[in-house]
Amino acid sequence: MATLHTVNKSPFERSSFISALNHTVPGDKVLMIEDGVISARKGNTFADLVSSALSDCSVYVLAPDLAARGIAEGDLVEGVQTIDYGGFVDLVAECDRTQSWL
Amino acid sequence: MAMDEAGGAPGAAKKFLYVNRKAPYGTIYALESLEVVLIGAAFEQDVQLAFLDDGVYQIVKNQSTDAIGAKNFSPTYKALGDYEVTKLYVEAEALEERGLTADDLMEITFEDEDDDWAEKPSINIVSRADMAKIMSEQDVILSF
Amino acid sequence: MKLGIVVNEGPYTHQASDSAYQFAKAAIDKGHEVFRVFFYHDGVNNGTRLTVPPQDERNIQKNWTELAAQSNVDLVVCIAAAQRRGILDENEAKRQGKDADNIAPGFRISGLGQLIEAGIEADRLVTFGD
């Protein structure tokens, strides 16, 4: 019954990251793509929010978008998983619906 | 959700949720989302609209666009009942964060054919937690 | 699985169309069917054949056109959004009294009903936008 929530904007620019986290139910999956990956860098202002989301949701970032922005996979908030576009497709298929927080 | 039976949608109908998170006029998303809702009404699906974040501004009263040169499309929301779009969910926290209350919203109603065409409010104010639950019960979510 | 994709932004300014394209390719590689890509809002601008990006840059329109040809993907440009933004096929150009059309190969112009139909027919619908 899970929902995949995608976030494509930096939390420093838009409220979509916070909105997405505010509308998950336990078991949902959150995927940061495009500028959304900025929220997953360890030590950033929003890192604690990512950590608390991990208590009842899975959080993923799209590796190609991380690499494009010069963020190393080792520099992510602990518990955040990296996937490629194929993994994105798998998440869409595994979840019952996708909500894009545009 | 309590109101599922009301629409009379056939068993095969999917639950569609239109998520509206942007204020009108600054960008075209609200208007073009409404156009999808109107066209989509002909497909006899189980349609719901969610208004959260700045999207609550789409249905506030007293919109007046003459001076910006754009068409005021807010009256169209009042006609949604005629399209059998009768379930509008507005997030209480989104209103409160913006200094708004339910009284700031337009009156949007529908005539309930299952209740002798009684006029009923289409707007349901729901908590953020309930909005999350509503999202988790959909087949298709369209976000603009 | 049968997948539908919605693209709400035009090429180059936003990453949306690129992300949608990479997603579509990955889905097809995994054996899924990308049943339709629906271009809405400024997303209709992906469907003009008149763009001329620099040689060393990706050609987003061509990427889509090739994907449509190779994998039988239905690329639909919303007519209402297209009319607002000047994306026309031959029929529309004639009907509106315009002197040219610009729709790219593999794209077709149709109504918003195609978006709803994608939601009904597809197992999953994924939206890319701003």
Side-chain angles (χ1 to χ4, degrees):
Chain A
M1 282 306 289
T3 302
L4 174 64
H5 301 262
T6 66
V7 178
N8 75 330
K9 285 288 177 273
S10 160
F12 295 94
E13 186 199 348
R14 297 267 186 102
S15 64
S16 50
F17 163 79
I18 287 172
S19 259
L21 296 190
N22 277 338
H23 291 89
T24 56
V25 299
D28 278 356
K29 295 167 195 289
V30 181
L31 168 63
M32 317 298 187
I33 67 169
E34 302 173 2
D35 289 347
V37 302
I38 288 169
S39 64
R41 172 73 162 82
K42 73 177 175 198
N44 92 88
T45 308
F46 298 88
D48 288 348
L49 284 176
V50 174
S51 297
S52 27
L54 281 161
S55 65
D56 61 1
C57 291
S58 319
V59 180
Y60 304 84
V61 287
L62 198 60
D65 281 326
L66 271 187
R69 288 156 182 82
I71 303 175
E73 294 197 14
D75 285 338
L76 296 176
V77 174
E78 203 182 322
V80 173
Q81 303 170 57
T82 55
I83 56 170
D84 58 10
Y85 287 103
F88 185 177
V89 172
D90 291 342
L91 283 182
V92 166
E94 283 163 26
C95 294
D96 297 277
R97 66 197 72 74
T98 301
Q99 151 66 358
S100 306
W101 292 88
L102 302 176
Chain B
M1 294 312 304
M3 305 179 70
D4 283 352
E5 305 80 25
K14 280 191 171 182
K15 286 182 72 116
F16 271 73
L17 181 70
Y18 294 89
V19 176
N20 299 290
R21 297 183 44 245
K22 290 173 181 162
Y25 312 116
T27 57
I28 199 168
Y29 301 104
L31 171 61
E32 287 190 332
S33 167
L34 190 56
E35 289 180 348
V36 182
V37 173
L38 297 179
I39 298 286
F43 285 76
E44 298 192 347
Q45 303 297 303
D46 182 4
V47 173
Q48 290 129 109
L49 272 59
F51 296 89
L52 54 155
D53 295 330
D54 286 342
V56 297
Y57 267 99
Q58 294 180 23
I59 52 171
V60 297
K61 283 178 190 163
N62 303 327
Q63 297 180 35
S64 171
T65 60
D66 294 347
I68 63 166
K71 183 178 159 191
N72 178 359
F73 57 92
S74 62
T76 310
Y77 293 97
K78 292 191 174 196
L80 285 173
D82 299 337
Y83 291 83
E84 294 182 33
V85 175
T86 60
K87 290 179 274 189
L88 278 58
Y89 298 105
V90 180
E91 191 175 282
E93 287 87 339
L95 289 174
E96 199 189 325
E97 284 163 359
R98 285 158 185 78
L100 300 172
T101 68
D103 292 338
D104 293 305
L105 302 179
M106 294 187 289
E107 240 181 89
I108 303 176
T109 59
F110 71 103
E111 292 177 343
D112 187 351
E113 60 177 324
D114 296 328
D115 190 8
D116 199 22
W117 305 100
E119 191 165 320
K120 297 184 176 177
S122 299
I123 292 181
N124 305 276
I125 311 279
V126 299
S127 69
R128 183 162 279 162
D130 281 342
M131 187 63 91
K133 190 164 172 288
I134 288 166
M135 284 185 176
S136 72
E137 292 165 346
Q138 304 300 317
D139 293 311
V140 181
I141 304 179
L142 283 167
S143 264
F144 299 107
Chain C
M1 213 170 238
K2 206 167 173 175
L3 303 175
I5 295 174
V6 185
V7 178
N8 287 340
E9 298 301 332
Y12 303 107
T13 302
H14 297 281
Q15 201 185 337
S17 186
D18 292 298
S19 295
Y21 172 72
Q22 299 296 344
F23 178 87
K25 264 202 329 184
I28 291 163
D29 286 347
K30 282 187 163 274
H32 296 292
E33 177 195 355
V34 176
F35 153 76
R36 177 170 294 153
V37 183
F38 190 86
F39 296 88
Y40 197 38
H41 305 298
D42 278 359
V44 300
N45 290 319
N46 288 285
T48 171
R49 65 171 185 271
L50 300 183
T51 52
V52 189
Q55 291 281 334
D56 60 345
E57 261 183 44
R58 71 211 183 284
N59 188 320
I60 294 177
Q61 171 263 308
K62 274 209 173 115
N63 282 347
W64 283 117
T65 293
E66 282 166 17
L67 191 75
Q70 286 160 9
S71 305
N72 199 27
V73 179
D74 187 20
L75 306 179
V76 179
V77 173
C78 168
I79 187 162
Q83 284 174 337
R84 285 196 178 104
R85 295 164 178 88
I87 306 294
L88 297 163
D89 61 13
E90 204 183 335
N91 276 340
E92 268 300 294
K94 245 182 235 160
R95 212 163 64 87
Q96 307 291 347
K98 298 291 181 185
D99 60 5
D101 68 83
N102 58 352
I103 193 90
F107 288 79
R108 66 186 179 95
I109 294 183
S110 189
L112 274 171
Q114 302 280 307
L115 170 57
I116 308 296
E117 192 188 79
I120 295 170
E121 300 259 321
D123 298 306
R124 302 284 186 272
L125 192 68
V126 189
T127 304
F128 295 87
D130 177 29

